[in-house]
Amino acid sequence: MSSPALMEDLVEEILLRFPPHEPACLVRAALVCKRWCRFISGPGFRRRFRELHRTPPLLGFLYRSLIDSDGANLTRFVPTAAFCSPQVEIRSWRPLDARHGRVLFRSPLEISDLEELMVWDPITDEKRKLPIPPRNAFSWTAAVLCSGAGSCDHLDCHRGPFLVVFVGSDSVETFIYTYSSDAAAWSKPICIQDAEGRFYSLMRSPLVGNALYFGFSGTNKALKYDMELREMFWIQLPSTCSNLGLRVLTTTEDGRLGLVTADGNKIYMWSRKAGSNDAGWTQNRVIELERLLPSDAILTSPDVLCFAEGIHVIFVRSNNVLFTIDLKACKVKKVCKGKGIRAVVPYMNFYTPELGAACAVEEPSVGGSSA
């Protein structure tokens, strides 16, 4: 192999190992010369970069807070990496879920007479509104995901078709509708003759295999929806956590359903045993927050608000301050401060900035500097 070809292979191997949570590193590398810029901007490199790292990084998170005494809401996007969303504030729309590069919102009634849903791509700023299913629900929530959830590797599917799963209940039964962006329509509902209470819309719905899980407030059950079989099942949560604080359904490192909750200054973590729908739970970890959080952050009992799938990071709120806790490294980071922080939704995706203009610049001269 000639020396120039060998050098290009070495450059590729180095660039592929740049940290995905620091996209600015690739931008700086692309500005070295037009050859590197074309290389980094190419679809082949982007594909190999995603295949190597597999798990998309946390680019930021959205949170909702009250902005006046009338109950008006403001949703803010807070970046956690060198990523700048085209829109950092979204008034009134409430974040419900984020997955596979998309964010799902619901509108409050003050916007219009009828509630709507909206799917937003923070990278392209593309928005798509859709009506909620034509059925009255006492309580409801929803989740968004790629339409190829069972077969897609989710490395670059945020611009493709998507699904929205809407789950609601009335006084008699619980029902699920599925919206397909390809068909631009809701499916016929599937129902189960039982209503367990109010869906907890502040709890995101984890995806485990082909199943979505939805939590409730005021009950010790969760709803499992098998999207392949199009069947619903009730599952029992650990009985010992019924009197604890806010509960967050999660995914475990080995791909099972998990549960995180807080009591006092401790965080408890469970994993669901493999097996049938009535499988039990195992408590496998207790985290002492007094050893992790600053002393002024534990004046009141912290609340677990959210979990970032795949990277095992939880969001904890205490004294109007929002922290992230990396469960693998046991590292804490203060990410936000403000009153009324709620409905935290992490946004994870691979991000390569548009580099077309940079590829048109001239090669740096020998001995010259580059941006």
Side-chain angles (χ1 to χ4, degrees):
M1 183 179 295
S2 64
S3 179
L6 178 61
M7 287 302 299
E8 286 193 2
D9 287 345
L10 292 176
V11 168
E12 177 183 8
E13 291 301 317
I14 293 172
L15 294 177
L16 284 173
R17 283 158 177 79
F18 275 24
H21 62 278
E22 297 181 6
C25 294
L26 286 178
V27 176
R28 289 192 290 268
L31 295 177
V32 170
C33 62
K34 288 194 293 184
R35 185 175 68 255
W36 283 23
C37 184
R38 287 193 295 266
F39 178 70
I40 293 173
S41 301
F45 175 82
R46 292 199 302 270
R47 181 69 186 182
R48 291 191 294 273
F49 186 79
R50 289 168 166 83
E51 288 176 343
L52 177 65
H53 296 283
R54 303 302 299 180
T55 302
L58 179 69
L59 296 183
F61 63 93
L62 301 100
Y63 75 91
R64 177 167 61 92
S65 61
L66 298 178
I67 59 176
D68 56 42
S69 58
D70 295 332
N73 294 274
L74 181 67
T75 294
R76 291 184 172 91
F77 183 91
V78 179
T80 57
F83 166 72
C84 184
S85 169
Q87 194 165 355
V88 296
E89 292 188 353
I90 304 174
R91 184 174 291 271
S92 296
W93 288 87
R94 304 178 182 182
L96 287 177
D97 190 33
R99 188 177 290 106
H100 304 154
R102 303 172 183 87
V103 182
L104 179 67
F105 295 87
R106 65 180 291 180
S107 69
L109 290 175
E110 57 260 28
I111 288 183
S112 63
D113 293 335
L114 297 175
E115 285 189 295
E116 295 179 296
L117 294 169
M118 179 173 69
V119 177
W120 175 49
D121 185 333
I123 292 179
T124 65
D125 201 27
E126 179 183 357
K127 300 182 181 71
R128 181 165 176 173
K129 294 182 180 179
L130 50 144
I132 64 173
R135 178 170 178 174
N136 292 329
F138 169 75
S139 167
W140 65 271
T141 188
V144 64
L145 66 158
C146 165
S147 63
S151 57
C152 181
D153 57 17
H154 307 303
L155 297 181
D156 193 20
C157 61
H158 69 280
R159 299 188 185 186
F162 62 85
L163 302 175
V164 173
V165 177
F166 178 100
V167 55
S169 61
D170 54 27
S171 59
V172 177
E173 62 184 8
T174 299
F175 47 88
I176 284 182
Y177 291 81
T178 300
Y179 179 89
S180 167
S181 63
D182 280 336
W186 291 99
S187 67
K188 293 182 179 180
I190 61 172
C191 306
I192 184 171
Q193 296 298 316
D194 196 3
E196 284 292 331
R198 185 177 293 275
F199 283 99
Y200 188 43
S201 60
L202 297 182
M203 183 192 298
R204 293 185 60 233
S205 307
L207 177 66
V208 181
N210 290 319
L212 278 168
Y213 292 84
F214 299 91
F216 295 83
S217 59
T219 181
N220 220 36
K221 289 185 179 181
L223 181 70
K224 174 185 177 181
Y225 173 49
D226 190 312
M227 294 184 293
E228 184 175 5
L229 300 177
R230 286 182 54 81
E231 293 179 348
M232 291 185 286
F233 309 93
W234 297 112
I235 64 169
Q236 192 73 35
L237 299 181
S239 58
T240 54
C241 75
S242 58
N243 296 322
L244 301 184
L246 294 178
R247 294 171 295 181
V248 174
L249 293 171
T250 68
T251 56
T252 63
E253 291 189 45
D254 57 358
R256 290 181 290 161
L257 180 67
L259 182 73
V260 179
T261 191
D263 181 32
N265 293 321
K266 295 181 180 180
I267 289 179
Y268 298 88
M269 304 183 65
W270 284 268
S271 61
R272 191 160 180 262
K273 298 177 182 178
S276 62
N277 291 315
D278 58 356
W281 294 79
T282 300
Q283 181 180 307
N284 47 27
R285 189 173 181 184
V286 178
I287 300 175
E288 299 280 353
L289 292 178
E290 291 182 344
R291 300 180 181 180
L292 295 178
L293 298 182
S295 58
D296 59 346
I298 55 175
L299 298 177
T300 60
S301 297
D303 291 319
V304 179
L305 296 186
C306 193
F307 177 81
E309 296 180 42
I311 61 173
H312 303 285
V313 169
I314 59 175
F315 289 76
V316 175
R317 178 189 61 199
S318 183
N319 293 340
N320 296 322
V321 179
L322 189 66
F323 299 91
T324 57
I325 300 179
D326 187 324
L327 297 176
K328 290 185 176 180
C330 282
K331 292 184 178 180
V332 176
K333 183 179 181 180
K334 177 182 174 181
V335 293
C336 186
K337 182 178 182 179
K339 293 183 179 180
I341 295 175
R342 61 185 69 188
V344 176
V345 175
Y347 176 71
M348 301 173 62
N349 199 7
F350 288 103
Y351 174 62
T352 303
E354 295 292 338
L355 300 172
C359 292
V361 301
E362 293 296 327
E363 297 268 7
S365 58
V366 177
S369 63
S370 59

